[in-house]
Amino acid sequence: MFKKILIANRGEIALRVIHACRELGIATVAVHSTADSDSLHVTYADEGICIGPPQSTDSYLNLNAVISAAEITGADAVHPGYGFLAEKAHFAEVLAECGLSWIGPKPETIRLMGDKAKARQMAIKAGVPVLMGSEEPLDDLTEALELASRVGYPVILKAAAGGGGRGMRIVQHEEEFEHQYSTAANEATAAFGDGSIYLEKYLVEPRHIEFQIFGDRYGNVIHLGERECSIQRRHQKLLEESPSPALTPALRAEMGAAAVQLAKAVGYENAGTIEFLLDVDDSFYFMEMNTRIQVEHPVTEMVMGVDLVKMQIQVAQGEALKIEGGFVPRGHAIECRVNAEDPENFRPSPGKIITFHPPGGPGVRVDTHAYEHYVIPPFYDSMIAKLIVHDADRDAAIARMSRALDHFVIEGVKTSIPLHRGILQDPAFQAGQVSTRFMERYLAKKPDGAN
Ligand code: MV4
């Protein structure tokens, strides 16, 4: 059993992990940059240790500094949160060499699923549907052109080392293929040091639906339902909900079984997410797997009545998943990501928070590291809070979220709260008619951003 966990992260997720550790009776070590000395994750942890200057490459991404902090403080395990070192297979390997436990999937699984072309191959092998496209990375223009015409335009070129929207190129017509192909390969080499690209049929207006999966070291794998994540802008999610208004119980069962099948095929341990694209005709296709706890995990926690971070720690300690009785979804949950940014142009709005009154009441949860007089440093992500609500059904959850947003007072910095208010009032959103194109359409209708 773990006695002390080092949290290799900052912000709300570092606090979230501290809450889980405290409830399990496990001591915590916070690491922080010099810009985060006054951060709540440092205050709430049992110990805090500075690991470097503000730039994350010199602190939160500096694996030597993080591992030294774990050794100095006598931690026996590391929780990476999301972002930073969460999907760095090498970091997990070095921890093992130092005799430290890693709260996450096996390094080889992280590496395998981090290669998006290999992940696609694994999905094919596991019998999980993928879009028409290449089974191997493309290595020759003529061959790629031939494949594209067989698949039919539009097609999408994706970097194997990309993911989450990085390193993608859409090709509408054959005439632009050669240009897009060489641009994609060059960009992938420049950005990732790996020019491998693969090709898929491009779906014009899908939904992004992801399944929460969980595995233990005894081969048990379960899914905990899905999250509807179609409301994004520039591949940054803004609002997520569970369940998806698009899924029938039958489709959920089918997609959930596919997700579990793939996770089992790769021997998955700990928390993970299988992302699907859902087409307008209800056909679904594997897109990517994320080998970490995600920002939007609370909507699953609210609907399923579980603590995913505690579960992560328990399975990393060698406990078996508790699956007797199964997991029964209840009601509907929505999460709004509150970013310190200008809702008109989405530019970051760091600085000092003058007033901070989070909402409360039944079915309202606020995951945040912010507080009155907190100074948001300019070096990191602009997300300062996650507002999550739960209620009996989708309409009730929307009403509860609208009320909670109205009662969330933040002064001193600009936030995305007005944008969320606007989204919740949108007729298409209220009808559950969302797709990856939703924000594009919404912002075209409301050029002022919201209100
Ligand atoms: C796609 C797609 C359509 N067809 N692949 C974006 C993030 C990365 N995980 C893959 N992405 C997409 N892949 C095919 N074959 C559309 C997207 C996509 C998208 C996906 C989810 C949420 C928002 C999106 C916005 C634009 C494009």
Side-chain angles (χ1 to χ4, degrees):
M1 298 295 248
F2 300 145
K3 290 198 175 67
K4 193 188 274 193
I5 291 175
L6 180 138
I7 299 135
N9 216 301
R10 64 179 301 282
E12 68 84 20
I13 192 65
L15 276 171
R16 171 71 190 82
V17 177
I18 291 171
H19 296 152
C21 291
R22 186 54 61 88
E23 290 183 17
L24 291 170
I26 301 169
T28 51
V29 180
V31 294
H32 65 91
S33 71
T34 52
D36 277 340
S37 305
D38 297 328
S39 277
L40 276 193
H41 77 284
V42 184
T43 315
Y44 275 72
D46 296 295
E47 291 170 78
I49 185 159
C50 184
I51 52 164
Q55 291 296 333
S56 45
T57 43
D58 301 323
S59 49
Y60 298 106
L61 285 168
N62 181 346
L63 76 203
N64 290 322
V66 174
I67 291 167
S68 301
E71 298 204 313
I72 289 164
T73 54
D76 33 35
V78 173
H79 194 301
Y82 51 70
F84 296 127
L85 299 169
E87 288 172 283
K88 301 266 191 286
H90 176 64
F91 178 56
E93 281 164 353
V94 177
L95 285 178
E97 283 163 22
C98 297
L100 290 157
S101 293
W102 163 252
I103 302 170
K106 294 188 289 279
E108 56 266 35
T109 315
I110 300 176
R111 189 167 283 122
L112 177 69
M113 300 320 261
D115 182 324
K116 304 305 169 186
K118 288 205 181 114
R120 184 179 144 89
Q121 282 175 349
M122 286 308 302
I124 296 168
K125 243 171 70 180
V128 172
V130 297
L131 280 152
M132 271 227 282
S134 46
E135 303 209 355
E136 299 283 332
L138 306 166
D139 45 25
D140 166 75
L141 173 68
T142 322
E143 194 189 294
L145 260 169
E146 204 256 320
L147 179 62
S149 62
R150 249 188 300 135
V151 163
Y153 288 89
V155 298
I156 186 167
L157 296 165
K158 297 182 177 181
R166 301 184 317 139
M168 307 185 335
R169 290 259 152 185
I170 299 157
V171 192
Q172 298 290 353
H173 308 285
E174 186 159 20
E175 305 82 75
E176 48 173 308
F177 189 89
E178 182 167 359
H179 169 71
Q180 295 286 30
Y181 178 80
S182 55
T183 314
N186 291 337
E187 282 179 356
T189 308
F192 315 113
D194 171 5
S196 311
I197 49 174
Y198 64 104
L199 178 153
E200 281 180 351
K201 172 84 187 162
Y202 179 67
L203 289 187
V204 176
E205 194 159 353
R207 287 174 186 255
H208 171 141
I209 291 172
E210 56 182 37
F211 274 73
Q212 177 69 54
I213 62 107
F214 227 105
D216 65 18
R217 66 170 73 149
Y218 310 103
N220 301 305
V221 179
I222 56 162
H223 80 79
L224 292 139
E226 80 283 3
R227 297 182 285 260
E228 167 72 66
C229 300
S230 299
I231 301 193
Q232 318 199 350
R233 181 185 165 272
R234 298 197 181 165
H235 305 296
Q236 287 294 113
K237 293 171 188 147
L238 293 167
L239 180 155
E240 307 93 348
E241 56 183 308
S242 185
S244 165
L247 298 200
T248 59
L251 185 52
R252 176 171 304 111
E254 198 188 340
M255 292 175 77
V260 168
Q261 213 166 288
L262 176 53
K264 278 193 172 156
V266 299
Y268 201 83
E269 284 177 29
N270 219 285
T273 299
I274 308 236
E275 298 182 347
F276 292 105
L277 294 173
L278 178 67
D279 206 353
V280 285
D281 65 357
D282 276 3
S283 47
F284 64 91
Y285 307 94
F286 169 74
M287 181 163 57
E288 285 176 21
M289 178 166 197
N290 301 318
T291 55
R292 59 169 190 274
I293 190 83
Q294 288 191 265
V295 174
E296 59 273 25
H297 77 274
V299 293
T300 300
E301 292 186 323
M302 303 291 270
V303 166
M304 291 303 199
V306 296
D307 183 326
L308 292 170
V309 179
K310 266 192 199 169
M311 286 168 67
Q312 285 193 289
I313 296 167
Q314 288 163 334
V315 304
Q317 284 181 146
E319 293 175 43
L321 275 172
K322 297 182 189 80
I323 46 185
E324 327 73 70
F327 294 91
V328 184
R330 198 180 64 80
H332 198 96
I334 305 176
E335 171 179 277
C336 288
R337 298 190 186 192
V338 178
N339 296 328
E341 63 188 22
D342 188 333
E344 309 234 328
N345 53 28
F346 295 92
R347 278 208 276 270
S349 176
K352 185 168 179 166
I353 296 174
I354 306 298
T355 314
F356 192 77
H357 293 310
V364 176
R365 165 175 170 183
V366 182
D367 281 18
T368 184
H369 60 294
Y371 53 90
E372 203 143 275
H373 306 315
Y374 173 63
V375 180
I376 303 160
F379 310 103
Y380 315 107
D381 197 272
S382 63
M383 192 178 76
I384 52 165
K386 303 188 306 205
L387 173 57
I388 308 108
V389 303
H390 182 235
D391 211 329
D393 57 37
R394 189 170 187 270
D395 288 343
I398 292 172
R400 182 162 275 175
M401 180 61 89
S402 303
R403 186 272 294 174
L405 286 166
D406 288 345
H407 290 181
F408 204 158
V409 182
I410 302 176
E411 288 172 327
V413 298
K414 291 180 174 166
T415 77
S416 50
I417 289 173
L419 177 72
H420 285 301
R421 275 214 202 90
I423 293 170
L424 289 178
Q425 283 161 15
D426 182 83
F429 174 78
Q430 290 184 351
Q433 281 155 10
V434 297
S435 77
T436 54
R437 282 269 159 84
F438 178 88
M439 281 311 290
E440 195 182 307
R441 295 234 169 82
Y442 175 80
L443 293 170
K445 274 186 293 191
K446 313 201 175 191
D448 60 337
N451 306 307

